[in-house]
Amino acid sequence: MRPVGNTFIKLSSLTLLALSVNLVGCQTFKNLTNKDAETIETAQKSEQSYYRDAITQIDKGRYTQAIEDLTNLRTFYPTGQFAEQALLDMMYAQYASGSYETAAGSADQFIRLYPSNPQVSYAYYVRGVANMQGSSEGIKLFKTNQAKRDTGYLRLAFANFQELINKYPNSPYAPDAAQRMLFIYNQFAQSELTAANWYIKRDAYVAAANRAKWTFQYYPLSESVPEAIAILAYSNQQLGLKDLANDYKTLLRINYPNWLTADGRVKLNTKADRTWLNKLTFGQLGRSTMPGASLAEGQYNGATKTQVIYDAAKLTLPAANAGSATSRATLSPARSGVNIGLGLPENTTEQVTGQGSASEAATDAVVEPQNTNPTRRTTLPNQ
């Protein structure tokens, strides 16, 4: 048959269309094939290779690459032989790279996913250490006086360590966690005295006495108690309450004579007495052990391990809202009779202010003494 012109044109159009679709399809398939090939190559890398490469990167201090390898391992082998260990190493790499919040989050994830893992106490420990450092953009530990920094992360870390020593008192990380609890507890107490000294410099002696009294009522086991008593003695003396001031001086003479001069005057800001920070020797956070290996003993080298854990277990922090304006007005009934065994004088006119830094103290109202009884009887400790 003789081809019809229109029909030939239509067939040619269809042919061209088919060729066009074929070319586009080939190009699309080629792109998809290349992308899939890369994905397949990544997925086909063995679990052992991922882990070996990650540890090599950690040993070289290349934590970002190590985290990537460990993440890929857990993505493609979530139930593999190295999955749990990979998360332990990942939280270490995150901490070492300064990603403290991320490290704490990974530790939380490990505790939630693998509560029966023999190394779960390491995750509890990492979580506390990471929170103790604060946020990634926060102040590094020991770079500044911790009593002057935001205490939210310290409070969280204290709770983390408390949970660790309560659940795993025999963990190799428990002694170091206990030491850190003692440090944080003393930092909270010192924060109160930082504010008290700020008040003294401004002759706000009632407010200074309030902060000092708060210290030994809410932090009775802290190393700041001697200084708190010294501030109370000095502040009451400046207020003209000589009998009450002498009662506190008697306590210093019996228990902490180095806070008084030879002629009986009170020493303030005696740095030689703030030795508690030097007593603490924290272990350095290291990697957890390999699967099947025994737990590392850590780097704790302080006092008797059992004793330091026992001492830390007795510590408690006031509630987070204990320093609010409402609670500053008066002590709660449960706390009003607190006595730490030193026979501290009671003064019904002293009002306890809340916890905080010196900058917070600047906004506190200075309460003038009312109806103060300077001859109030004091019960001193037995000699």
Side-chain angles (χ1 to χ4, degrees):
M1 295 178 59
R2 184 172 61 86
V4 181
N6 290 339
T7 302
F8 179 80
I9 293 173
K10 289 181 180 180
L11 289 174
S12 298
S13 299
L14 290 174
T15 302
L16 290 173
L17 179 61
L19 290 173
S20 175
V21 171
N22 186 47
L23 290 174
V24 173
C26 289
Q27 182 65 33
T28 303
F29 179 76
K30 181 179 180 182
N31 291 339
L32 289 175
T33 300
N34 291 339
K35 183 177 180 181
D36 289 344
E38 181 181 351
T39 302
I40 292 172
E41 181 183 354
T42 303
Q44 287 181 343
K45 188 175 178 180
S46 71
E47 181 184 10
Q48 290 79 3
S49 296
Y50 275 129
Y51 191 75
R52 182 180 60 252
D53 292 346
I55 299 308
T56 298
Q57 299 298 337
I58 288 177
D59 292 339
K60 293 180 179 180
R62 300 171 182 171
Y63 300 114
T64 300
Q65 184 58 50
I67 293 169
E68 181 179 341
D69 288 334
L70 293 169
T71 300
N72 285 335
L73 187 157
R74 287 185 52 78
T75 299
F76 294 109
Y77 304 95
T79 60
Q81 176 186 1
F82 292 92
E84 297 182 27
Q85 183 64 37
L87 187 53
L88 290 170
D89 289 317
M90 186 186 300
M91 65 182 75
Y92 167 75
Q94 290 165 340
Y95 177 89
S97 66
S99 301
Y100 304 125
E101 290 173 303
T102 307
S106 294
D108 269 327
Q109 182 183 17
F110 189 92
I111 293 169
R112 185 177 66 256
L113 295 177
Y114 314 114
S116 60
N117 187 288
Q119 299 185 78
V120 70
S121 67
Y122 175 80
Y124 279 92
Y125 179 68
V126 172
R127 183 177 62 175
V129 173
N131 282 322
M132 193 172 179
Q133 288 282 20
S135 66
S136 302
E137 296 77 24
I139 303 173
K140 301 294 189 297
L141 187 61
F142 301 125
K143 293 297 183 182
T144 188
N145 186 343
Q146 297 293 296
K148 298 180 181 179
R149 63 171 278 190
D150 174 65
T151 55
Y153 282 102
L154 290 179
R155 178 178 291 277
L156 182 58
F158 184 92
N160 296 153
F161 294 133
Q162 193 171 48
E163 186 176 7
L164 169 58
I165 67 173
N166 287 339
K167 289 185 176 181
Y168 305 98
N170 297 321
S171 165
Y173 307 104
D176 190 77
Q179 283 285 74
R180 292 173 183 269
M181 286 180 65
L182 290 169
F183 173 83
I184 293 170
Y185 181 83
N186 279 295
Q187 285 296 325
F188 273 101
Q190 186 58 46
S191 178
E192 294 302 316
L193 298 191
T194 298
N197 283 304
W198 187 92
Y199 280 127
I200 287 176
K201 292 178 180 178
R202 289 154 181 79
D203 299 330
Y205 299 114
V206 172
N210 289 342
R211 289 283 181 160
K213 191 170 185 179
W214 174 282
T215 300
F216 66 70
Q217 287 185 319
Y218 282 87
Y219 304 99
L221 302 177
S222 76
E223 296 285 346
S224 295
V225 167
E227 185 178 359
I229 299 175
I231 289 174
L232 282 166
Y234 180 82
S235 297
N236 280 289
Q237 180 174 308
Q238 295 302 112
L239 290 168
L241 307 177
K242 295 183 179 180
D243 289 345
L244 190 57
N246 287 334
D247 289 339
Y248 284 115
K249 286 183 180 180
T250 300
L251 290 176
L252 292 175
R253 190 175 300 109
I254 295 172
N255 298 281
Y256 313 106
N258 54 329
W259 282 89
L260 293 172
T261 62
D263 57 355
R265 290 180 292 109
V266 177
K267 297 179 183 178
L268 292 181
N269 299 319
T270 307
K271 296 182 179 180
D273 289 86
R274 297 177 184 174
T275 56
W276 54 269
L277 179 59
N278 297 328
K279 297 176 185 177
L280 302 181
T281 52
F282 299 150
Q284 297 296 318
L285 179 64
R287 283 185 53 227
S288 64
T289 58
M290 289 288 292
S294 61
L295 286 176
E297 283 297 321
Q299 300 183 29
Y300 174 80
N301 57 0
T304 304
K305 294 180 179 181
T306 303
Q307 184 62 45
V308 73
I309 295 173
Y310 174 78
D311 291 342
K314 295 185 294 184
L315 303 178
T316 58
L317 296 179
N321 62 350
S324 64
T326 302
S327 64
R328 291 176 184 180
T330 56
L331 285 173
S332 64
R335 287 287 185 178
S336 60
V338 171
N339 190 304
I340 61 175
L342 295 176
L344 290 169
E346 294 182 2
N347 187 342
T348 56
T349 64
E350 289 180 327
Q351 303 297 317
V352 177
T353 60
Q355 68 181 41
S357 64
S359 60
E360 292 174 321
T363 62
D364 286 349
V366 177
V367 182
E368 295 297 331
Q370 298 177 357
N371 300 325
T372 302
N373 180 8
T375 60
R376 186 177 181 83
R377 184 174 180 273
T378 301
T379 301
L380 298 176
N382 294 329
Q383 299 185 36

